Amino acid sequence: MKAARTPRPLCIACAAVLLAASLAGCRRPGAGWIEPLKALEPGGAPTNAAIEDLKRGIDRYQAEVDRKVSAAQNLGVYWKMLALKYVDNGMFGLALDALDEAAAVYPENPILFQYMGVSAARAAKGLVADAAEQGRLYARSEAAYRRAIFLDPTYVAALYGLAVLLALELGRPAEATPLLAAVLEQEPKNLDALFLLGRIAYAGGRYEDAVDCYDRILATRPPERLAAQAEANRRQAKEALFGTP
């Protein structure tokens, strides 16, 4: 009968790999928490006893902390989904409530605040018999748009939304003009911004600027309906500028 084969010794490299894996598996869970938590301790560097207390706390609470963060993230997704569904169905007051909850989870998401601006303005339009509440909602819309722009100064949807609110709802077209300029700096062929800028220029008696806006629209070769509208507006602005068709 053959003698049992003696196992070959592991090479040094293989042994090192296995040792590292073993040590990694034995590493205390939550080891990455120690330094951040030490930084939160008052009075400078914590004592060894305080560090041991922190380690015990990490062992006790890490799983619960991870579970709560995951639950909050899932809840944030729920509120975002609900807000979008409300917006899609024209339920802007309810959308605002859901967006408030989502923003409590994600307070630095500019898209949430842009949707807030839209929802508050649209909700305000339905309150023609309650001027005070309408004014409150318009103010909330403006604040939401400004928050979105603060978080992302290049956010075209928020820049344009605030310009529409200021020019068409709040009677402050002069404040809308630089916002539209910022939109056009990023998107020179943004037809919505050009139409609104032309409208503001015409209403303010700046007929030459209005003509320029409509010329820029026509230069983009827009769809037939928009081209016809731009041509009619351009003609009206030129009549006001020169006194003749």
Side-chain angles (χ1 to χ4, degrees), residues 148-239:
I149 294 167
F150 173 80
L151 291 169
D152 182 358
T154 66
Y155 190 9
V156 165
L159 291 164
Y160 177 73
L162 181 56
V164 170
L165 180 73
L166 292 169
L168 305 184
E169 307 297 345
L170 301 181
R172 293 151 55 189
E175 295 178 50
T177 300
L179 296 167
L180 295 169
V183 170
L184 292 168
E185 185 176 348
Q186 296 181 73
E187 299 180 2
K189 296 182 180 181
N190 188 309
L191 300 185
D192 290 332
L194 285 167
F195 269 111
L196 182 55
L197 196 59
R199 177 173 177 169
I200 292 171
Y202 182 86
R206 294 181 288 106
Y207 305 121
E208 190 170 354
D209 290 341
V211 170
D212 178 65
C213 287
Y214 299 124
D215 281 340
R216 290 174 64 181
I217 291 170
L218 292 168
T220 68
R221 299 182 180 276
E224 184 177 347
R225 179 182 61 83
L226 296 179
Q229 184 62 59
E231 187 59 56
N233 291 357
R234 179 178 179 275
R235 186 183 310 113
Q236 186 176 3
K238 290 192 76 172
E239 289 174 2

XYZ file of all heavy atoms in Angstrom, residues 148-239:
707
model
N -32.449 76.201 -6.078
C -31.932 75.320 -7.130
C -30.754 75.967 -7.846
O -29.748 75.309 -8.131
C -33.044 74.993 -8.123
N -30.869 77.264 -8.133
C -29.795 77.974 -8.844
C -28.569 78.123 -7.950
O -27.428 78.040 -8.418
C -30.304 79.336 -9.343
C -31.378 79.130 -10.416
C -29.160 80.184 -9.891
C -32.168 80.379 -10.744
N -28.794 78.328 -6.648
C -27.667 78.392 -5.715
C -26.895 77.080 -5.727
O -25.657 77.063 -5.723
C -28.171 78.701 -4.302
C -27.109 78.614 -3.246
C -26.222 79.671 -3.056
C -26.968 77.482 -2.455
C -25.226 79.592 -2.088
C -25.983 77.390 -1.495
C -25.108 78.451 -1.311
N -27.631 75.961 -5.746
C -26.981 74.650 -5.741
C -26.313 74.338 -7.071
O -25.301 73.630 -7.107
C -28.012 73.568 -5.410
C -28.548 73.595 -3.975
C -29.740 72.662 -3.840
C -27.464 73.235 -2.980
N -26.901 74.842 -8.179
C -26.329 74.607 -9.510
C -26.559 75.862 -10.360
O -27.603 75.995 -10.996
C -26.973 73.392 -10.171
C -26.364 73.094 -11.542
O -25.476 73.848 -11.991
O -26.776 72.100 -12.168
N -25.599 76.789 -10.373
C -25.781 78.051 -11.108
C -25.950 77.884 -12.614
O -26.349 78.831 -13.291
C -24.489 78.825 -10.794
C -23.972 78.224 -9.530
C -24.343 76.778 -9.614
N -25.674 76.710 -13.146
C -25.812 76.482 -14.591
C -27.087 75.715 -14.938
O -27.262 75.294 -16.088
C -24.599 75.692 -15.127
O -24.608 74.380 -14.565
C -23.297 76.383 -14.781
N -27.970 75.551 -14.001
C -29.168 74.725 -14.185
C -30.190 75.492 -15.028
O -30.927 76.348 -14.543
C -29.744 74.358 -12.826
C -30.830 73.322 -12.827
C -31.162 72.593 -13.958
C -31.526 73.045 -11.657
C -32.159 71.639 -13.935
C -32.525 72.095 -11.618
C -32.839 71.395 -12.756
O -33.830 70.450 -12.729
N -30.253 75.165 -16.318
C -31.063 75.916 -17.284
C -32.541 75.905 -16.919
O -33.222 76.934 -16.998
C -30.839 75.367 -18.706
C -31.914 75.876 -19.661
C -29.454 75.769 -19.217
N -33.080 74.750 -16.533
C -34.508 74.665 -16.226
C -34.891 75.598 -15.087
O -35.953 76.234 -15.116
C -34.892 73.230 -15.892
N -34.023 75.703 -14.070
C -34.319 76.586 -12.945
C -34.161 78.055 -13.336
O -34.960 78.911 -12.936
C -33.409 76.252 -11.769
N -33.140 78.364 -14.117
C -32.939 79.744 -14.582
C -34.130 80.216 -15.410
O -34.659 81.316 -15.204
C -31.654 79.834 -15.411
C -30.330 79.661 -14.649
C -29.193 79.390 -15.631
C -30.024 80.898 -13.823
N -34.575 79.378 -16.327
C -35.701 79.751 -17.181
C -37.003 79.803 -16.374
O -37.818 80.717 -16.541
C -35.841 78.764 -18.337
C -37.043 79.062 -19.214
C -37.035 80.155 -20.073
C -38.186 78.270 -19.159
C -38.146 80.445 -20.866
C -39.290 78.548 -19.946
C -39.262 79.640 -20.790
O -40.361 79.939 -21.556
N -37.200 78.839 -15.485
C -38.416 78.823 -14.669
C -38.542 80.069 -13.815
O -39.626 80.664 -13.706
N -37.436 80.484 -13.209
C -37.477 81.697 -12.393
C -37.717 82.922 -13.265
O -38.449 83.846 -12.871
C -36.172 81.848 -11.612
C -36.070 83.071 -10.699
C -37.222 83.127 -9.703
C -34.729 83.088 -9.967
N -37.140 82.957 -14.459
C -37.365 84.084 -15.373
C -38.839 84.187 -15.742
O -39.417 85.289 -15.763
C -36.512 83.915 -16.632
N -39.482 83.065 -16.034
C -40.919 83.069 -16.359
C -41.721 83.584 -15.175
O -42.630 84.413 -15.326
C -41.378 81.653 -16.754
C -42.899 81.585 -16.848
C -40.746 81.240 -18.079
N -41.403 83.095 -13.992
C -42.124 83.519 -12.785
C -42.005 85.025 -12.574
O -42.998 85.722 -12.327
C -41.575 82.768 -11.569
C -42.222 83.113 -10.225
C -43.626 82.512 -10.154
C -41.367 82.590 -9.067
N -40.782 85.540 -12.683
C -40.553 86.965 -12.440
C -41.223 87.825 -13.508
O -41.852 88.847 -13.191
C -39.050 87.251 -12.404
C -38.283 86.656 -11.214
C -36.786 86.787 -11.445
C -38.682 87.346 -9.914
N -41.098 87.410 -14.760
C -41.597 88.245 -15.856
C -43.107 88.181 -16.003
O -43.763 89.212 -16.221
C -40.930 87.830 -17.166
N -43.684 86.997 -15.867
C -45.094 86.816 -16.216
C -46.024 86.761 -15.013
O -47.217 87.037 -15.155
C -45.262 85.546 -17.053
C -44.404 85.465 -18.321
C -44.740 84.196 -19.101
C -44.592 86.705 -19.192
N -45.530 86.392 -13.851
C -46.399 86.270 -12.688
C -46.166 87.362 -11.648
O -47.119 87.824 -11.019
C -46.211 84.892 -12.025
C -46.359 83.707 -12.962
C -47.756 83.585 -13.564
O -48.696 84.232 -13.060
O -47.896 82.834 -14.550
N -44.932 87.777 -11.477
C -44.607 88.724 -10.408
C -44.382 90.148 -10.907
O -44.146 91.051 -10.100
C -43.372 88.234 -9.634
C -43.520 86.850 -8.975
C -42.261 86.489 -8.215
C -44.732 86.805 -8.053
N -44.442 90.350 -12.218
C -44.297 91.705 -12.756
C -42.937 92.324 -12.523
O -42.822 93.537 -12.334
N -41.878 91.497 -12.591
C -40.512 91.981 -12.378
C -39.624 91.553 -13.549
O -38.649 90.824 -13.381
C -39.974 91.449 -11.052
C -40.695 92.017 -9.839
C -40.718 91.084 -8.653
N -39.424 90.616 -8.229
C -39.248 89.653 -7.306
N -40.286 89.060 -6.756
N -38.035 89.281 -6.958
N -39.962 92.020 -14.770
C -39.238 91.543 -15.965
C -37.768 91.924 -15.981
O -36.953 91.203 -16.570
C -40.009 92.186 -17.118
C -40.685 93.371 -16.517
C -41.036 92.971 -15.126
N -37.425 93.052 -15.362
C -36.010 93.464 -15.380
C -35.127 92.422 -14.693
O -33.974 92.218 -15.085
C -35.857 94.823 -14.703
N -35.669 91.752 -13.678
C -34.891 90.728 -12.977
C -34.797 89.441 -13.801
O -33.902 88.619 -13.575
C -35.520 90.426 -11.622
C -35.489 91.594 -10.647
C -36.175 91.249 -9.342
O -35.863 90.190 -8.764
O -37.038 92.038 -8.903
N -35.740 89.267 -14.717
C -35.729 88.057 -15.543
C -34.675 88.117 -16.638
O -34.148 87.077 -17.061
C -37.112 87.848 -16.165
N -34.360 89.317 -17.103
C -33.470 89.464 -18.257
C -32.096 88.824 -18.039
O -31.630 88.059 -18.902
C -33.329 90.946 -18.634
O -34.629 91.456 -18.967
C -32.403 91.126 -19.820
N -31.397 89.071 -16.923
C -30.086 88.419 -16.758
C -30.189 86.903 -16.630
O -29.255 86.182 -17.008
C -29.528 89.055 -15.473
C -30.698 89.654 -14.783
C -31.667 90.038 -15.833
N -31.304 86.406 -16.113
C -31.486 84.953 -16.034
C -31.583 84.351 -17.431
O -30.993 83.297 -17.717
C -32.742 84.633 -15.232
C -32.729 85.046 -13.759
C -34.134 84.953 -13.169
C -31.765 84.179 -12.962
N -32.323 85.022 -18.310
C -32.443 84.550 -19.685
C -31.113 84.654 -20.421
O -30.774 83.790 -21.236
C -33.527 85.342 -20.414
C -34.945 85.130 -19.868
C -35.904 86.142 -20.469
C -35.419 83.709 -20.147
N -30.349 85.691 -20.118
C -29.020 85.816 -20.716
C -28.139 84.649 -20.293
O -27.347 84.118 -21.099
C -28.392 87.147 -20.312
N -28.268 84.228 -19.031
C -27.482 83.087 -18.547
C -27.901 81.802 -19.259
O -27.058 80.946 -19.567
C -27.661 82.936 -17.043
N -29.207 81.652 -19.520
C -29.685 80.490 -20.269
C -29.082 80.483 -21.671
O -28.563 79.469 -22.158
C -31.228 80.494 -20.352
C -31.706 79.423 -21.336
C -31.834 80.259 -18.974
N -29.140 81.642 -22.341
C -28.675 81.725 -23.731
C -27.160 81.623 -23.843
O -26.638 81.234 -24.891
C -29.175 83.025 -24.357
C -30.700 83.062 -24.555
C -31.164 84.467 -24.897
C -31.123 82.078 -25.635
N -26.475 81.947 -22.781
C -25.016 81.765 -22.788
C -24.675 80.280 -22.897
O -23.701 79.899 -23.540
C -24.419 82.349 -21.514
C -22.905 82.311 -21.473
C -22.331 82.991 -20.246
O -23.078 83.696 -19.542
O -21.122 82.796 -19.993
N -25.498 79.441 -22.271
C -25.272 78.001 -22.337
C -25.940 77.368 -23.554
O -25.414 76.427 -24.126
C -25.828 77.341 -21.068
C -25.136 77.765 -19.792
C -25.739 77.051 -18.600
O -25.522 75.858 -18.410
N -26.517 77.769 -17.816
N -27.115 77.875 -23.891
C -27.889 77.316 -25.000
C -28.321 78.450 -25.925
O -29.450 78.954 -25.818
C -29.106 76.561 -24.471
C -28.768 75.387 -23.563
C -30.000 74.660 -23.053
O -31.133 75.043 -23.442
O -29.838 73.712 -22.261
N -27.457 78.897 -26.832
C -27.757 80.053 -27.683
C -29.007 79.888 -28.539
O -29.602 80.884 -28.959
C -26.505 80.177 -28.563
C -25.425 79.502 -27.789
C -26.091 78.385 -27.060
N -29.434 78.650 -28.767
C -30.615 78.415 -29.593
C -31.826 77.994 -28.772
O -32.752 77.371 -29.286
C -30.307 77.342 -30.642
C -29.226 77.763 -31.643
C -28.989 76.684 -32.686
C -27.915 77.113 -33.672
N -27.672 76.082 -34.717
N -31.856 78.373 -27.513
C -33.003 78.057 -26.667
C -34.171 78.965 -27.069
O -34.211 80.151 -26.730
C -32.655 78.250 -25.195
C -33.743 77.759 -24.255
O -34.913 78.113 -24.387
N -33.354 76.940 -23.301
N -35.125 78.424 -27.807
C -36.202 79.241 -28.376
C -37.129 79.806 -27.313
O -37.611 80.936 -27.433
C -36.991 78.414 -29.391
C -36.190 77.878 -30.585
C -37.123 77.188 -31.575
C -35.424 78.996 -31.280
N -37.391 79.043 -26.271
C -38.256 79.540 -25.196
C -37.658 80.797 -24.569
O -38.359 81.794 -24.329
C -38.453 78.473 -24.125
C -39.310 77.322 -24.608
O -40.161 77.537 -25.484
O -39.117 76.190 -24.103
N -36.363 80.748 -24.297
C -35.697 81.907 -23.699
C -35.699 83.098 -24.653
O -35.913 84.245 -24.235
C -34.272 81.541 -23.302
N -35.472 82.856 -25.935
C -35.464 83.944 -26.914
C -36.845 84.571 -27.074
O -36.978 85.807 -27.156
C -34.961 83.433 -28.261
C -33.451 83.193 -28.349
C -33.097 82.402 -29.610
C -32.689 84.519 -28.331
N -37.887 83.774 -27.112
C -39.243 84.316 -27.199
C -39.571 85.178 -25.976
O -40.131 86.273 -26.106
C -40.275 83.196 -27.335
C -40.602 82.827 -28.756
C -40.206 81.608 -29.283
C -41.313 83.706 -29.579
C -40.514 81.262 -30.596
C -41.619 83.365 -30.892
C -41.228 82.142 -31.407
N -39.224 84.694 -24.801
C -39.529 85.461 -23.596
C -38.702 86.737 -23.545
O -39.208 87.807 -23.165
C -39.274 84.607 -22.347
C -39.604 85.277 -21.012
C -41.045 85.788 -20.976
C -39.336 84.314 -19.854
N -37.437 86.651 -23.943
C -36.592 87.841 -23.952
C -37.144 88.872 -24.943
O -37.160 90.081 -24.656
C -35.163 87.451 -24.316
C -34.063 88.468 -24.017
C -34.004 88.803 -22.535
C -32.711 87.924 -24.480
N -37.603 88.409 -26.111
C -38.203 89.318 -27.075
C -39.464 89.965 -26.526
O -39.706 91.163 -26.729
N -40.261 89.190 -25.838
C -41.495 89.716 -25.238
C -41.186 90.794 -24.202
O -41.846 91.835 -24.157
C -42.270 88.560 -24.601
C -43.542 88.977 -23.871
C -44.305 87.754 -23.423
N -45.487 88.108 -22.650
C -46.435 87.254 -22.322
N -46.360 85.981 -22.710
N -47.480 87.642 -21.608
N -40.184 90.525 -23.355
C -39.804 91.505 -22.330
C -39.282 92.783 -22.987
O -39.627 93.902 -22.566
C -38.738 90.902 -21.387
C -39.356 89.774 -20.544
C -38.136 91.970 -20.489
C -38.338 88.979 -19.759
N -38.439 92.622 -24.014
C -37.890 93.794 -24.705
C -39.004 94.620 -25.348
O -39.016 95.859 -25.245
C -36.873 93.350 -25.758
N -39.949 93.969 -25.993
C -41.045 94.685 -26.647
C -41.895 95.426 -25.610
O -42.230 96.606 -25.790
C -41.912 93.709 -27.437
C -43.034 94.384 -28.178
C -42.829 94.908 -29.458
C -44.307 94.518 -27.603
C -43.859 95.542 -30.140
C -45.332 95.153 -28.277
C -45.102 95.667 -29.542
O -46.117 96.321 -30.207
N -42.235 94.752 -24.516
C -43.055 95.382 -23.476
C -42.344 96.567 -22.839
O -42.994 97.525 -22.396
C -43.420 94.355 -22.409
N -41.011 96.516 -22.823
C -40.250 97.612 -22.236
C -39.902 98.712 -23.229
O -39.145 99.628 -22.888
N -40.429 98.627 -24.454
C -40.164 99.650 -25.465
C -38.809 99.529 -26.125
O -38.398 100.430 -26.870
N -38.126 98.435 -25.922
C -36.814 98.221 -26.554
C -37.049 97.395 -27.834
O -36.733 96.219 -27.899
C -35.870 97.520 -25.581
C -35.516 98.382 -24.369
C -34.549 97.716 -23.397
N -35.178 96.651 -22.642
C -34.995 95.367 -22.826
N -34.170 94.941 -23.782
N -35.616 94.477 -22.074
N -37.610 98.062 -28.812
C -38.064 97.360 -30.004
C -36.918 96.771 -30.831
O -37.052 95.713 -31.432
C -38.917 98.303 -30.865
C -40.069 98.895 -30.101
C -40.201 100.280 -29.957
C -41.014 98.078 -29.489
C -41.251 100.822 -29.241
C -42.073 98.623 -28.765
C -42.184 99.996 -28.646
O -43.217 100.530 -27.928
N -35.801 97.467 -30.856
C -34.663 96.949 -31.618
C -34.152 95.647 -31.003
O -33.812 94.704 -31.726
C -33.545 97.997 -31.663
C -32.432 97.644 -32.634
C -31.466 98.799 -32.849
O -31.723 99.906 -32.333
O -30.455 98.572 -33.537
N -34.113 95.600 -29.667
C -33.704 94.359 -28.995
C -34.702 93.241 -29.282
O -34.311 92.075 -29.449
C -33.605 94.582 -27.484
C -32.432 95.472 -27.105
O -31.503 95.623 -27.917
O -32.457 96.025 -25.978
N -35.987 93.588 -29.327
C -37.005 92.584 -29.627
C -36.808 92.017 -31.034
O -36.871 90.803 -31.245
C -38.395 93.190 -29.479
N -36.570 92.913 -32.006
C -36.331 92.464 -33.381
C -35.132 91.521 -33.421
O -35.157 90.493 -34.108
C -36.114 93.669 -34.312
C -35.617 93.209 -35.687
C -37.405 94.475 -34.451
N -34.095 91.866 -32.687
C -32.897 91.023 -32.664
C -33.217 89.628 -32.139
O -32.729 88.619 -32.680
C -31.818 91.679 -31.797
C -30.561 90.825 -31.688
O -29.893 90.621 -32.710
O -30.271 90.341 -30.575
N -34.056 89.549 -31.092
C -34.431 88.239 -30.546
C -35.155 87.398 -31.586
O -34.855 86.201 -31.756
C -35.320 88.422 -29.312
S -34.451 89.001 -27.844
N -36.084 88.025 -32.312
C -36.857 87.266 -33.299
C -35.999 86.912 -34.511
O -36.188 85.844 -35.122
C -38.118 88.032 -33.680
C -39.012 88.238 -32.471
C -39.419 89.508 -32.074
C -39.415 87.153 -31.706
C -40.206 89.698 -30.953
C -40.206 87.328 -30.578
C -40.597 88.595 -30.201
O -41.377 88.758 -29.087
N -35.038 87.766 -34.845
C -34.090 87.412 -35.904
C -33.277 86.173 -35.506
O -33.026 85.284 -36.338
C -33.136 88.579 -36.183
C -33.771 89.663 -37.047
O -34.766 89.358 -37.734
O -33.261 90.804 -37.028
N -32.879 86.130 -34.252
C -32.105 84.981 -33.774
C -32.944 83.709 -33.811
O -32.428 82.623 -34.133
C -31.600 85.239 -32.346
C -30.509 86.295 -32.268
C -30.130 86.621 -30.833
N -29.542 85.478 -30.147
C -29.152 85.510 -28.865
N -29.307 86.626 -28.161
N -28.621 84.438 -28.307
N -34.218 83.840 -33.487
C -35.096 82.666 -33.558
C -35.211 82.175 -34.998
O -35.059 80.977 -35.284
C -36.485 83.012 -32.995
C -36.402 83.239 -31.487
C -37.488 81.889 -33.309
C -37.663 83.805 -30.875
N -35.451 83.082 -35.910
C -35.621 82.705 -37.322
C -34.336 82.111 -37.897
O -34.393 81.240 -38.772
C -36.072 83.919 -38.129
C -37.497 84.407 -37.798
C -37.753 85.772 -38.411
C -38.528 83.393 -38.286
N -33.198 82.568 -37.406
C -31.919 82.053 -37.902
C -31.701 80.589 -37.539
O -30.898 79.901 -38.181
C -30.774 82.897 -37.361
N -32.419 80.109 -36.528
C -32.279 78.697 -36.137
C -33.121 77.763 -37.004
O -33.068 76.555 -36.832
C -32.699 78.486 -34.666
O -34.116 78.688 -34.541
C -31.941 79.424 -33.739
N -33.916 78.351 -37.922
C -34.823 77.572 -38.761
C -35.748 76.701 -37.903
O -35.726 75.459 -37.970
C -34.049 76.710 -39.754
C -33.196 77.515 -40.722
C -32.488 76.615 -41.730
N -31.669 77.398 -42.640
C -32.128 78.000 -43.744
N -33.418 77.928 -44.043
N -31.313 78.690 -44.532
N -36.582 77.344 -37.080
C -37.442 76.594 -36.161
C -38.588 75.918 -36.908
O -38.795 76.186 -38.106
C -37.967 77.684 -35.223
C -38.007 78.906 -36.078
C -36.805 78.795 -36.980
N -39.367 75.086 -36.239
C -40.554 74.495 -36.863
C -41.491 75.584 -37.397
O -41.471 76.723 -36.924
C -41.204 73.709 -35.721
C -40.074 73.419 -34.785
C -39.147 74.579 -34.875
N -42.306 75.204 -38.357
C -43.127 76.181 -39.081
C -43.983 77.036 -38.149
O -44.078 78.257 -38.323
C -44.019 75.441 -40.078
C -44.850 76.361 -40.964
C -45.662 75.601 -41.989
O -45.401 74.392 -42.172
O -46.550 76.203 -42.603
N -44.602 76.425 -37.166
C -45.471 77.187 -36.261
C -44.685 78.253 -35.504
O -45.122 79.400 -35.383
C -46.139 76.226 -35.268
C -47.056 76.911 -34.266
C -47.635 75.888 -33.299
N -46.608 75.210 -32.536
C -46.054 75.705 -31.420
N -46.417 76.920 -30.971
N -45.133 75.019 -30.762
N -43.508 77.874 -34.996
C -42.686 78.834 -34.255
C -42.108 79.901 -35.183
O -41.985 81.069 -34.795
C -41.565 78.104 -33.524
C -42.009 77.126 -32.433
C -40.800 76.450 -31.800
C -42.834 77.836 -31.375
N -41.765 79.507 -36.399
C -41.250 80.482 -37.364
C -42.321 81.532 -37.674
O -42.026 82.739 -37.758
C -40.806 79.776 -38.632
N -43.560 81.080 -37.843
C -44.651 82.016 -38.134
C -44.869 82.974 -36.970
O -45.094 84.181 -37.169
C -45.931 81.247 -38.435
N -44.791 82.442 -35.744
C -44.965 83.297 -34.567
C -43.827 84.302 -34.449
O -44.050 85.492 -34.170
C -45.028 82.439 -33.308
C -45.312 83.219 -32.029
C -46.657 83.908 -32.052
O -47.686 83.254 -32.195
N -46.670 85.231 -31.929
N -42.606 83.848 -34.676
C -41.461 84.753 -34.599
C -41.546 85.831 -35.678
O -41.238 87.011 -35.424
C -40.161 83.967 -34.737
N -41.967 85.461 -36.862
C -42.090 86.426 -37.958
C -43.149 87.472 -37.638
O -42.946 88.680 -37.878
C -42.442 85.698 -39.255
C -42.431 86.589 -40.491
C -41.088 87.243 -40.733
O -40.085 86.524 -40.838
O -41.056 88.497 -40.793
N -44.291 87.034 -37.093
C -45.346 87.979 -36.731
C -44.874 88.925 -35.628
O -45.119 90.146 -35.671
C -46.591 87.223 -36.277
N -44.190 88.395 -34.622
C -43.679 89.237 -33.530
C -42.628 90.221 -34.043
O -42.581 91.374 -33.622
C -43.082 88.361 -32.437
C -44.125 87.546 -31.692
O -45.321 87.660 -31.949
N -43.668 86.702 -30.779
N -41.782 89.740 -34.939
C -40.737 90.596 -35.518
C -41.375 91.747 -36.297
O -40.939 92.901 -36.182
C -39.840 89.756 -36.434
C -38.721 90.519 -37.140
C -37.898 89.551 -37.979
N -36.836 90.227 -38.687
C -36.985 90.835 -39.865
N -38.190 90.843 -40.453
N -35.957 91.421 -40.444
N -42.384 91.432 -37.055
C -43.060 92.460 -37.839
C -43.687 93.520 -36.910
O -43.578 94.717 -37.164
C -44.140 91.825 -38.712
C -44.814 92.798 -39.691
C -45.920 92.114 -40.483
N -45.454 90.863 -41.072
C -45.906 89.666 -40.709
N -46.834 89.569 -39.759
N -45.442 88.584 -41.299
N -44.291 93.056 -35.846
C -44.918 93.978 -34.898
C -43.873 94.872 -34.238
O -44.098 96.083 -34.055
C -45.677 93.179 -33.836
C -46.495 94.024 -32.878
C -47.298 93.165 -31.911
O -47.202 91.938 -31.918
N -48.092 93.800 -31.085
N -42.729 94.300 -33.887
C -41.664 95.084 -33.255
C -41.090 96.110 -34.241
O -40.778 97.247 -33.862
C -40.570 94.162 -32.742
N -40.940 95.721 -35.513
C -40.411 96.658 -36.518
C -41.403 97.781 -36.790
O -40.996 98.949 -36.987
C -40.098 95.909 -37.811
C -38.891 94.973 -37.680
C -38.425 94.465 -39.033
C -37.681 95.536 -39.771
N -37.041 95.011 -41.007
N -42.683 97.482 -36.759
C -43.679 98.538 -36.933
C -43.584 99.540 -35.794
O -43.681 100.760 -36.010
C -45.079 97.935 -36.991
C -45.371 97.162 -38.265
C -46.721 96.457 -38.214
O -47.431 96.621 -37.199
O -47.052 95.747 -39.175
